[in-house]
Amino acid sequence: MIIIGELINGMYKAVTRAIADRDEVLIHHLAEDQVKAGASILDVNVGPFSNDPMSDMRWLIETIQKTVDVPLSLDSTKIEVIEECLKITKKRAVVNSTNADIERMDRIFGLAKKHNAQVIGLAVDKSGVPDSREKRVELGAVIINKALEYGLSIDDIYLDPIAMPINVAQAQGIEVLETIREFRMICAPAPKIVIGLSNVSQGAKKRSLLNRTYLVMAIASGLTCAILDPLDKDLVDAMIAAELIANKNIYCDSFLDAYRKK
Amino acid sequence: MAIELIKEKYTGPINTVEIGAGQGMVKLGGETALPFLFREGDMPNKPLIALEVQDCEPSDWADPVRDAFGDAVKDPVKWAKKCVSEFGAKILCVRLQSAHPDFGNGSIDASVERLKAIAKEVKVPLIVIGCGDDDKDNELLPKASQAMKGSNCLFGIATQANYKTLTATCLADGHSIIADSPIDVNIAKQLNILMADMGFDQKRIVMHPTTTSLGYGMEYVYSIMERARLAAFIGDASLAMPFILFVGQETWKVKEAKEFGEKQGINWEIATAAAMVQAGADIQVLRHPRSAVSITKYIDKLMER
């Protein structure tokens, strides 16, 4: 399972403040703690309140890269910001994200090819988030085809079926799980499949419980990557157990330690 | 249309373990694909064959194996020298059998002295195995380990029930360790983790998945080895150790090998070892020198790319 750590995000007040004050210490802590807890990629998002996303993103990336040596997921809707960030990332970056609109795909995949980056492709287009698995799979296929057209490898594409908040779109929970199953059959080898896990519990109570339950169900459906809070130990424990039961790892009595030592 | 072969892509290499110091030093492991699939990955170190000697005359060995060494089996140093000079062994496995309560219950100091004498006379890396009695080994192996300090030996055998003494002593004296698991990949993984928890470098562990002879469930060992190896290749560091197998010990105790003449016995040992090479064995300890010579040629042939 690939964990993309979600905590460096301007949605969190502390991060917004750190960005405004250029407080490196907090960002260093968040980066180091997430990597220590198992994140192999860190998401970087300045949040919706940034007055200057370009310079804020650049500062975040430079700050993170001073202390950890992992790939970064460049989480921005602005293509010009992504382009600038791709020039300064030391490790192979993940562009977060494109949707299935031709125009955006052309620009994002073009950039990814040029900078040797990976891409998260959201199963969503101009008409919004699909409400059925069929539409999601169709958009997934469109994204894969376009990526291949640009000469990207399937290994470098993460398809995201768009997990929806349980308290707003309860029926979508199962649709997304079924989409994960069908994404695996879009091509061979199967693409990577990712969800933004915390979305599921957005605005709900008992968020940690909802997150880890959904993660386990999604792993059973074939999820290979998640953007999540790696510091939620119960969540990561559940993930390790689910992967074990899914026969992704060999059991031993110390299976939690064994996974974390990997 | 040309048929394109499907090639697996793996991420995790098998660890490389060095045994011995100086010129004769050998390397085990380092594979990045299943055995001999050179188009999928590399096999930087060829599988090795060690000959086994004991620190006392082997009272329970089959006649064809004893006869192959003649009178040398009565003198461990002569025996060891013969393995190297006459049969070209590049690595020896010394089993300190004399200390075992059922094999003379000899003194620990005498056993260690014989090990030192062998090490002094032969300049090849050594695998050193205890007598097999836990209590005795927990006294014997620390002394043997200290005596061999600096020689970078491969010591064995650590089991899930008895690994702490050996692990601590090898850690102190700079040796590698054989970790044993009774045809059980879960225990193999667990033992590797337990030893790592004591601060022992996982990259100095060689796994013994248990050995059996042709005709006695060898296929099961094969499947366990393959499973562990595939897990290692996709990134499970706690199973990324080279394998050692004691093929000589296992084959020469089955009746098909020891009761139908020397030729059949040798063939039995060769057939078992040949299968285990394909299963991913990085080093095999054999008993009959002619088997060792034949299987070494076979490996050399397989290593031609």
Side-chain angles (χ1 to χ4, degrees), chain A residues 3-21:
Chain A
I3 296 177
I4 303 179
E6 70 177 9
L7 296 179
I8 303 178
N9 189 316
M11 293 285 279
Y12 297 100
K13 276 183 197 151
V15 174
T16 306
R17 209 161 38 231
I19 294 172
D21 301 345

Side-chain angles (χ1 to χ4, degrees), chain A residues 141-159:
Chain A
V142 167
I143 292 167
I144 291 286
N145 281 334
K146 197 70 181 172
L148 294 178
E149 230 174 73
Y150 273 85
L152 299 181
S153 153
I154 289 171
D155 288 342
D156 294 332
I157 305 301
Y158 299 71
L159 285 185

Side-chain angles (χ1 to χ4, degrees), chain A residues 247 250-254 258 261, chain B residues 186 189-190 193 197 227 231:
Chain A
N247 199 23
I250 290 180
Y251 173 84
C252 71
D253 290 348
S254 310
K261 274 187 189 138
Chain B
N186 307 128
K189 186 168 172 171
Q190 182 68 12
I193 288 165
D197 283 347
R227 178 148 162 68

Side-chain angles (χ1 to χ4, degrees), chain A residues 119-135:
Chain A
V119 178
I120 295 177
L122 310 179
V124 53
D125 62 6
K126 285 198 176 79
S127 49
V129 178
D131 54 9
S132 72
R133 68 191 74 166
E134 290 80 9
K135 182 67 183 167

